[in-house]
């Protein structure tokens, strides 16, 4: 299989000085693409000097946008995505490719607890993993890992679903599961990042990552999110009605409001489920 390695990079000149020579030494025949996401340092120049194919953006569009640009430009049958900050070992790429040889369509490098950026991030990722495992019925070991190998043709089917921000790993993983493309996880160790601090800001991106929880559900099976909510409203409505009936002998507006909310939420979930099915069924099937 021909291989393209895509590295989204924003102000990662120091990391690229270490990552690109190691990549070229380990994978001399691979196409290496660095997507410069509006860097203000010499990221593009360093990448070009070290032999990478450089795609530059005039301004920052986001990590997901860089991934989409790189995926469109990649010529390989398999695309490997990895960070440009030196955290990922090029030697681990062979572990991911071995899983694709076994028949998987996506292989993800799963970080251990020591590979998380902070305790808070680790706890949040653990929550995402548990939710995704419940939604898909498969063990999800690292939903947000950016180190993965995918079959290029199948990954491009979902480019229109990928956000421009940081949650592309979540979206692509759930899309593969939803389309019955087999996904597997490979345990890896990650090194300390090189260069500037992480572009993720806890306060600003905390809300965004919280929304990932809802995106996981709506991407995979919205009814699994809406149905429990609907049942909750129904239980509250019936419970409130029972209390008012035995104490006041009447049916109140609050009971009617909660029962109506239960019906509305259920119908919204049903419509969302159909829209989700249409989203995945309109793609062109490929072997």
């Amino acid at each position: 299989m021909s291989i393209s390695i895509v590295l989204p990079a924003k102000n990662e000149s120091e990391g690229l000085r270490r990552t690109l020579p190691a990549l070229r030494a380990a994978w001399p025949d691979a196409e290496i693409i660095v997507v410069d996401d509006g860097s203000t340092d010499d990221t593009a120049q360093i990448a070009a000097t070290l032999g990478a194919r450089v795609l530059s953006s005039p301004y920052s569009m986001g990590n997901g946008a860089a991934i989409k640009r790189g995926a469109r430009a990649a010529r390989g049958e398999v695309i490997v995505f990895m960070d440009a900050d030196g955290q990922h070992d090029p030697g681990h790429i062979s572990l991911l490719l071995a899983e694709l040889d076994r028949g998987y369509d996506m292989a993800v490098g799963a970080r251990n607890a020591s590979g998380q950026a902070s305790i808070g991030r680790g706890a949040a990722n653990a929550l995402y993993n548990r939710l995704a495992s419940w939604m898909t019925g498969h063990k999800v070991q690292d939903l947000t890992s950016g180190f993965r190998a995918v079959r290029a043709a199948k990954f491009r089917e979902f480019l229109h679903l990928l956000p421009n921000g940081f949650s592309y790993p979540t979206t692509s993983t759930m899309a593969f599961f939803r389309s019955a493309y087999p996904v597997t996880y490979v345990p890896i160790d990650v090194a300390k990042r090189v260069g500037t601090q992480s572009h993720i800001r806890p306060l600003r991106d905390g809300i965004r990552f919280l929304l990932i929880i809802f995106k996981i559900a709506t991407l995979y099976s919205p009814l699994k999110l809406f149905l429990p909510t609907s049942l909750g409203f129904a239980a509250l409505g019936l419970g409130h009605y029972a209390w008012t009936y035995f104490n006041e002998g009447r049916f109140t507006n609050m009971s009617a409001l909660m029962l109506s909310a239960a019906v509305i939420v259920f119908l919204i979930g049903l419509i969302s489920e159909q829209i989700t099915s249409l989203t995945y069924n309109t793609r062109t099937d490929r072997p």
Side-chain angles (χ1 to χ4, degrees):
M1 296 181 292
S2 56
I3 301 169
S4 294
I5 303 173
V6 175
L7 300 91
K10 181 180 179 182
N11 298 331
E12 296 288 2
S13 58
E14 292 184 42
L16 289 173
R17 285 189 177 96
R18 185 174 81 176
T19 302
L20 289 180
L23 268 178
R24 183 55 68 194
W27 302 94
D29 298 325
E31 177 188 40
I32 301 177
I33 300 174
V34 172
V35 185
D36 173 26
D37 186 32
S39 298
T40 56
D41 65 0
D42 56 349
T43 290
Q45 293 84 350
I46 293 298
T49 300
L50 294 175
R53 179 184 172 194
V54 180
L55 305 176
S56 294
S57 300
Y59 56 89
S60 179
M61 299 182 185
N63 179 262
I67 289 294
K68 288 189 279 189
R69 291 194 68 195
R72 292 189 188 104
R75 304 187 184 101
E77 300 171 84
V78 169
I79 304 176
V80 176
F81 298 106
M82 61 186 297
D83 293 343
D85 55 17
Q87 291 190 90
H88 299 145
D89 183 354
H92 290 156
I93 293 177
S94 60
L95 301 178
L96 303 182
L97 298 180
E99 296 302 317
L100 265 59
D101 287 337
R102 293 178 54 202
Y104 290 99
D105 291 319
M106 175 184 287
V108 182
R111 300 160 292 182
N112 54 30
S114 63
Q116 302 294 337
S118 65
I119 296 177
R121 285 284 304 280
N125 287 337
L127 176 61
Y128 304 152
N129 295 341
R130 289 178 65 87
L131 177 61
S133 298
W134 171 69
M135 293 294 298
T136 63
H138 298 277
K139 177 67 173 178
V140 176
Q141 298 179 33
D142 194 344
L143 187 64
T144 60
S145 172
F147 185 36
R148 57 190 58 212
V150 299
R151 298 192 189 277
K154 293 179 178 177
F155 186 81
R156 291 191 186 103
E157 293 177 13
F158 309 112
L159 289 185
H160 65 287
L161 294 178
L162 302 185
N164 288 342
F166 280 101
S167 60
Y168 103 84
T170 299
T171 306
S172 60
T173 300
M174 299 306 290
F176 267 62
F177 275 123
R178 183 64 171 79
S179 298
Y181 290 155
V183 178
T184 190
Y185 289 85
V186 178
I188 61 167
D189 294 320
V190 296
K192 184 178 180 181
R193 62 177 285 113
V194 175
T196 59
Q197 61 180 349
S198 173
H199 301 299
I200 296 176
R201 301 292 183 268
L203 183 61
R204 181 193 66 188
D205 294 307
I207 297 176
R208 294 183 185 179
F209 284 132
L210 183 62
L211 292 176
I212 291 177
I213 294 176
F214 299 101
K215 293 178 70 174
I216 291 171
T218 54
L219 276 171
Y220 194 82
S221 181
L223 204 54
K224 284 191 174 182
L225 176 66
F226 285 96
L227 183 58
T229 305
S230 175
L231 292 176
F233 275 114
L236 286 173
L238 291 173
H240 189 269
Y241 172 52
W243 186 84
T244 56
Y245 179 80
F246 286 109
N247 287 275
E248 303 176 16
R250 64 193 182 94
F251 179 73
T252 65
N253 291 338
M254 182 57 69
S255 298
L257 179 62
M258 287 188 286
L259 291 173
S260 298
V263 175
I264 292 171
V265 170
F266 173 74
L267 293 177
I268 292 174
L270 197 60
I271 293 172
S272 299
E273 187 79 17
Q274 298 305 314
I275 293 174
T276 300
S277 297
L278 290 174
T279 298
Y280 290 101
N281 290 338
T282 52
R283 65 177 177 77
T284 301
D285 286 322
R286 296 181 177 90

